[in-house]
Amino acid sequence: KSYRVAILGATGAVGAELLELLAEREFPLADLKLLASPRSAGKTLAFKGEELPVVAVAEDSFNHVDLVLASAGGSTSKVWAPKAVEAGAVVIDNSSAFRMDPNVPLVVPEVNPEAAAMHQGIIANPNCTTILMTVAIWPLHQVQPIQRIVVATYQSASGAGARAMEEVKAQAIAILQGETPKTEAFPYPLAFNLFPHNSSLNDVGYCEEEMKMVKETRKIFNAPDLKVTATCVRVPVLRAHSEAINLEFKEPFSVTKVREILANSPGVKLVEDWEANYFPMPIDATGQDPVLVGRIRQDISHPCGLEMWICGDQIRKGAALNAVQIAELLAAKDLIKL
Ligand code: A2P
């Protein structure tokens, strides 16, 4: 069976990766439609050696489409995803628009593939930092339930899209030339700097990105009472996020056992050379599918605590790859239908 697929947001950073992954993983395509804003109408994008036209999304865009991979931001998804479903398509949405909707499964294929079967047309792809963290800690949670997660993120510019990545490069050049860096995509210069995540703050001082990690992890794990606290920070890395994760279990969890479990977990790659002090780095995670995990150690402040450090490609596993894996999962179970 093959599918008529549309990518909404094809010209963006995640869109580009979706195109690459559909080709690389040989997703069974009967047709591929590239949709973006009117700004991109008339452009073309290469796919398997062919130049495909980019079309401005419109009312009739989803006729004769089985599957939509949407990555054009929350407000665009809110408008177009329901229209796509109405036209008969299943939507895998990369935005935050529907993630917490009780009727929308929030899926990480390594964690809760079974949730995908409940879809009513829309399936949400979680936030990038949440995807990367859940892949790395779910296998441990299966063996010993996690009581509390304390996480700090080091998030790359790619999380804010292609324009933000270009902005950081331009800022670096400007600073090196003694000029004042321009800021548009970000509120502050990111090159040679970092700042707490620029999403909106709630009344108890957490930003939206941090609350996504809290709420989405609970939903994906189906653990509504799981204690999670996060500090999200943007760092001047182009792509691939890093996270310092502290886990608290009910009982001590031996580091040897943790390594053994993670060495055999899907989507995880252990990267630890204690003699060379070599551990996961964003430059090594860039372009890679697995989440790199290392610096696994006993938390010396708590007998049931565990520390670990992870890096994962934000655009790949943190967005496009997870979406394509969901598509593959749906195809395998014949769930690309309403
Ligand atoms: P466009 O390139 O035409 O602006 P990124 O996250 O890398 O910034 O990419 C965002 C993607 O979402 C781009 O493909 C962008 O298209 C698309 N997009 C943004 N706003 C809209 C909109 N109102 N309608 C359709 N696509 C949109």
Side-chain angles (χ1 to χ4, degrees):
K1 201 164 172 183
S2 59
Y3 302 92
R4 297 166 297 183
V5 174
I7 299 179
L8 176 58
T11 49
V14 175
E17 201 67 25
L18 284 168
L19 277 168
E20 232 181 275
L21 285 162
L22 289 175
E24 181 188 309
R25 297 171 73 95
E26 301 195 347
F27 188 82
L29 289 171
D31 185 39
L32 183 59
K33 241 183 189 176
L34 306 183
L35 306 170
S37 81
R39 292 181 290 272
S40 301
K43 279 188 190 166
T44 62
L45 292 170
F47 181 74
K48 287 189 170 175
E50 222 184 304
E51 285 295 320
L52 300 182
V54 180
V55 178
V57 63
E59 296 291 333
D60 62 355
S61 293
F62 306 104
N63 296 339
H64 314 294
V65 168
D66 303 307
L67 180 69
V68 179
L69 299 171
S71 194
S75 53
T76 308
S77 281
K78 267 189 194 139
V79 173
W80 295 104
K83 290 181 197 267
V85 174
E86 211 170 291
V90 171
V91 179
I92 299 172
D93 183 37
N94 200 47
S95 81
S96 59
F98 304 101
R99 286 182 192 146
M100 295 315 297
D101 184 327
N103 295 320
V104 173
L106 185 63
V107 178
V108 178
E110 289 87 346
V111 178
N112 61 340
E114 69 289 341
M118 327 291 215
H119 84 77
Q120 296 171 27
I122 301 175
I123 294 172
N125 210 36
N127 174 253
C128 46
T129 47
T130 309
I131 294 177
L132 302 174
M133 180 173 80
T134 55
V135 167
I137 67 174
W138 174 253
L140 305 177
H141 185 67
Q142 294 301 91
V143 177
Q144 244 205 74
I146 294 166
Q147 310 287 302
R148 180 167 179 250
I149 303 169
V150 182
V151 57
T153 69
Y154 304 67
Q155 301 184 218
S156 61
S158 57
R163 211 163 56 95
M165 294 166 81
E166 291 313 310
E167 178 165 297
V168 176
K169 285 193 227 168
Q171 286 174 349
I173 293 169
I175 291 169
L176 290 174
Q177 291 176 341
E179 295 162 8
T180 308
K182 289 198 179 72
T183 55
E184 263 178 43
F186 289 125
Y188 312 107
L190 189 56
F192 303 107
N193 189 29
L194 56 80
F195 46 82
H197 199 281
N198 50 301
S199 51
S200 57
L201 297 164
N202 69 13
D203 54 5
V204 289
Y206 280 73
C207 72
E208 219 178 329
E209 185 82 353
E210 291 160 353
M211 290 316 294
K212 284 177 187 173
M213 293 194 82
V214 174
K215 293 180 190 164
E216 294 181 20
T217 302
R218 288 177 177 158
K219 179 166 174 177
I220 297 161
F221 279 18
N222 191 18
D225 300 323
L226 181 62
K227 293 189 183 110
V228 186
T229 181
T231 301
C232 292
V233 178
R234 290 213 193 264
V235 296
V237 167
L238 282 182
R239 77 185 253 178
H241 291 348
S242 306
E243 301 179 27
I245 305 173
N246 182 281
L247 301 175
E248 189 185 317
F249 299 92
K250 212 172 192 163
E251 287 163 37
F253 205 149
S254 105
V255 167
T256 316
K257 179 94 181 143
V258 167
R259 280 206 189 94
E260 202 181 287
I261 293 165
L262 291 178
N264 295 299
S265 297
V268 172
K269 186 172 163 193
L270 273 188
V271 174
E272 290 194 305
D273 183 340
W274 289 87
E275 259 148 52
N277 205 336
Y278 172 72
F279 299 105
M281 291 188 280
I283 46 169
D284 291 336
T286 295
Q288 278 213 43
D289 287 351
V291 177
L292 310 185
V293 183
R295 295 209 72 210
I296 299 166
R297 62 206 191 277
Q298 167 71 47
D299 174 348
I300 54 166
S301 75
H302 196 293
C304 305
L306 185 85
E307 289 279 1
M308 62 163 83
W309 169 255
I310 70 168
C311 292
D313 189 311
Q314 180 274 319
I315 303 179
R316 236 173 146 87
K317 183 57 185 168
L321 174 62
N322 199 72
V324 173
Q325 285 175 316
I326 294 172
E328 290 169 349
L329 172 75
L330 296 178
K333 299 203 164 148
D334 194 21
L335 291 167
I336 304 186
K337 60 186 179 201
L338 296 172

